[in-house]
Amino acid sequence: MAPPTAPDRDSDTRRARRRRVLAIVACVAALGAPLPATALGPQVTQETLANGATLLVSEQRNLPLVLIRVVLDAGSRRDPIGRGGLAHLTASLVTEGTARRSAQQIKDQIDFIGASLDADAEQDYAVLSLQVLRKDLDVGLDLFADVLLHPSFANDELARQRDATLATLRSQEDDPTTVAQKAFQRRLFGDTPYGHPVEGSTESVPTISRGDVQQFYAAYYRPASAAVVVVGDIAVDEARAALLRVLGSWDGSPPAPFVYPPFTPPAAETIRIDRPVTQAGIVLGHLGVARDNPDYETIAVMNYILGGGGFSSRLMNSIRTEAGLAYSVGSFFAAGKSPGPFEIVMQTKNASVADAVARARQQVEQIRASPVSDGELQEAKRYLTGSYPLRLDSNAKIADFIAQTWFYGLGPNYADVYIARVNAVTGDDVQRVARQYLNPDGFIEVVVTAGERGTAPAPDAHHPAAP
């Protein structure tokens, strides 16, 4: 990654930059090509720039807006042990000041042109986004490139973001479900990359220094592992030229490939955390699947029937409708670049914990043991395929779709692939994946409730137990 650029950079550097831009233009002219047409998904043109970045452009002329997203392999899975929250803080600080602009100047300029500029980190990746009116594209892009290439990571802004993160983490301690999910995540993944919250913890965040942030940025905010997604009122050639103008100096070798370290998922365990709550927070589950699992769409159908389908799911019907034990209950597979968790999540009265957990386990056993009905199967398929176009009904959703299909390697025509795969699922398929990917005997069960002290996980330096 090139160092921050001073406004009065000398003429030699300007000439070098022009040469680099011309080289990039020559390269993309040879590589640019539209991806195969798709019936449901957006038409996308994909190119690889000379600096290694992938450029993905989808022309959408419905509104005079342009949305630009840079997706980076810089999520919290890259956090070093003991520095949980580093990826989140780095992303939060990118827009909070550069070598030429203060945080307030950036906000004022974005407000003046009615644009939005945001950055955030997820577990697998980080994203920097700009949405701007078509007529203000040049101004917006100059700001966008400035924060991406020249963040200052000022100490006062770091302190402010740390305080804001700590305030959020402390407020989460009042939510029994959040406390249960954090304890479940900690127990399931331990010190491996998915073992800590994206925001870090009240113990790890205060230890993160400006040097940590600068090193993380230098290591992972690199074009060779990034995609630039452009969606909106702009032609492919124009988008390419505009981005080459502002990002021509973005350079750097690829970061080290991420390899999830081998680990053995823990055995079944019941963890109870004592809190003065009237509604207990409950999480049951175990290790799930990665996003590129070939059974992903079949698992989606099975999970819709079990607990992902809201009021039509078996868990909701048993625990809320029949027994009146919970206002809401659901299940999901959080599939990431590496296998994430499968979770059943609910709240119930403290006195109803045992009954609610027993009913949840019974429904998991049942979907493994007996075929689902044809009515359940058809409803799940109708909902999953019928609601899919709603995932693509705005430029922001289209940009999300393009970014995620690129990051997870799902293919440019994944919308069509998803619909075809869901429609092909049979009742036998559902039972097969239920037996293969659900194991109630291996459940980690976390209950945050009042009055029962017991087997909360032992504190350690990196993942202290909830007090």
Side-chain angles (χ1 to χ4, degrees):
M1 176 75 59
T5 307
D8 58 347
R9 181 175 288 278
D10 63 42
S11 58
D12 287 344
T13 303
R14 287 196 294 272
R15 284 194 293 273
R17 182 179 299 175
R18 281 198 295 272
R19 286 196 296 271
R20 187 158 50 237
V21 170
L22 290 172
I24 294 173
V25 170
C27 180
V28 299
L31 295 175
L35 295 171
T38 174
L40 180 60
Q43 181 67 54
V44 181
T45 296
Q46 178 171 330
E47 305 172 358
T48 301
L49 305 181
N51 60 10
T54 300
L55 176 63
L56 297 148
V57 182
S58 181
E59 188 176 329
Q60 304 288 333
R61 299 288 190 176
N62 51 328
L63 292 171
L65 295 168
V66 178
L67 193 153
I68 299 167
R69 286 194 176 157
V70 172
V71 185
L72 302 137
D73 185 359
S76 66
R77 64 179 184 162
R78 296 279 195 178
D79 287 346
I81 292 177
R83 291 292 187 273
L86 177 55
H88 172 74
L89 268 180
T90 304
S92 300
L93 285 165
V94 162
T95 59
E96 301 299 325
T98 73
R100 293 186 295 159
R101 295 177 172 95
S102 68
Q104 190 58 51
Q105 287 174 321
I106 293 170
K107 289 181 175 63
D108 290 346
Q109 291 181 352
I110 288 294
D111 289 345
F112 184 75
I113 60 175
S116 62
L117 179 67
D118 305 290
D120 201 1
E122 304 289 341
Q123 207 161 40
D124 284 337
Y125 55 81
V127 177
L128 174 64
S129 298
L130 168 75
Q131 179 163 282
V132 64
L133 286 168
R134 174 70 181 82
K135 68 183 182 63
D136 295 319
L137 179 61
D138 288 345
V139 178
L141 274 176
D142 284 340
L143 278 166
F144 185 77
D146 195 24
V147 300
L148 175 62
L149 303 185
H150 312 136
S152 57
F153 301 124
N155 276 318
D156 57 341
E157 293 297 337
L158 172 60
R160 191 174 64 81
Q161 290 293 332
R162 266 196 314 235
D163 290 346
T165 302
L166 288 170
T168 299
L169 292 171
R170 289 177 183 126
S171 71
Q172 290 173 348
E173 292 297 305
D174 296 328
D175 179 6
T177 302
T178 301
V179 173
Q181 287 194 287
K182 287 185 176 182
F184 174 85
Q185 181 183 14
R186 185 169 60 241
R187 184 70 189 99
L188 176 60
F189 292 108
D191 278 336
T192 65
Y194 288 173
H196 65 277
V198 172
E199 297 82 2
S201 68
T202 53
E203 289 73 23
S204 66
V205 170
T207 70
I208 296 173
S209 68
R210 182 171 183 254
D212 293 329
V213 174
Q214 289 173 315
Q215 289 178 16
F216 189 91
Y217 170 84
Y220 302 121
Y221 279 61
R222 297 186 178 192
S225 62
V228 183
V229 179
V230 182
V231 177
D233 186 13
I234 188 168
V236 174
D237 291 347
E238 188 181 7
R240 179 194 304 123
L243 288 167
L244 289 174
R245 176 179 65 79
V246 298
L247 298 181
S249 64
W250 193 20
D251 205 351
S253 57
F258 177 83
V259 178
Y260 206 99
F263 82 107
T264 302
E269 183 178 359
T270 298
I271 297 168
R272 288 188 178 270
I273 299 173
D274 183 19
R275 289 292 174 88
V277 295
T278 56
Q279 289 281 311
I282 303 170
V283 177
L284 308 174
H286 49 53
L287 190 65
V289 298
R291 185 60 184 84
D292 62 356
N293 188 298
D295 285 325
Y296 179 83
E297 293 77 17
T298 308
I299 291 170
V301 174
M302 181 273 291
N303 184 62
Y304 182 92
I305 297 169
L306 174 64
F311 284 98
S312 63
S313 75
R314 291 184 176 188
L315 286 172
M316 184 71 86
N317 186 54
S318 173
I319 295 173
R320 172 177 163 141
T321 306
E322 291 180 1
L325 297 178
Y327 178 76
S328 67
V329 55
S331 64
F332 62 88
F333 285 81
K337 198 76 169 180
S338 303
F342 162 71
E343 297 182 34
I344 297 173
V345 180
M346 56 185 162
Q347 282 194 352
T348 187
K349 292 185 294 186
N350 291 324
S352 304
V353 167
D355 194 3
V357 169
R359 283 177 172 270
R361 287 180 174 274
Q362 180 187 34
Q363 292 305 317
V364 175
E365 294 281 7
Q366 187 171 335
I367 202 169
R368 282 167 44 87
S370 305
V372 299
S373 70
D374 188 61
E376 289 177 309
L377 177 62
Q378 297 308 321
E379 180 183 337
K381 291 163 71 169
R382 276 196 302 271
Y383 177 83
L384 293 173
T385 57
S387 64
Y388 206 88
L390 299 178
R391 304 183 193 184
L392 300 168
D393 63 359
S394 70
N395 285 356
K397 292 180 182 179
I398 291 172
D400 285 342
F401 173 83
I402 295 171
Q404 292 189 19
T405 53
W406 170 81
F407 187 82
Y408 292 113
L410 303 177
N413 62 338
Y414 180 69
D416 298 329
V417 170
Y418 177 87
I419 298 298
R421 288 180 179 173
V422 168
N423 279 329
V425 172
T426 68
D428 289 341
D429 295 331
V430 170
Q431 194 169 10
R432 175 182 64 80
V433 298
R435 288 175 173 169
Q436 184 172 347
Y437 298 106
L438 298 179
N439 176 23
D441 291 337
F443 275 175
I444 296 169
E445 176 183 316
V446 180
V447 180
V448 178
T449 186
E452 295 196 46
R453 295 182 181 279
T455 56
D460 60 54
H462 310 305
H463 300 299

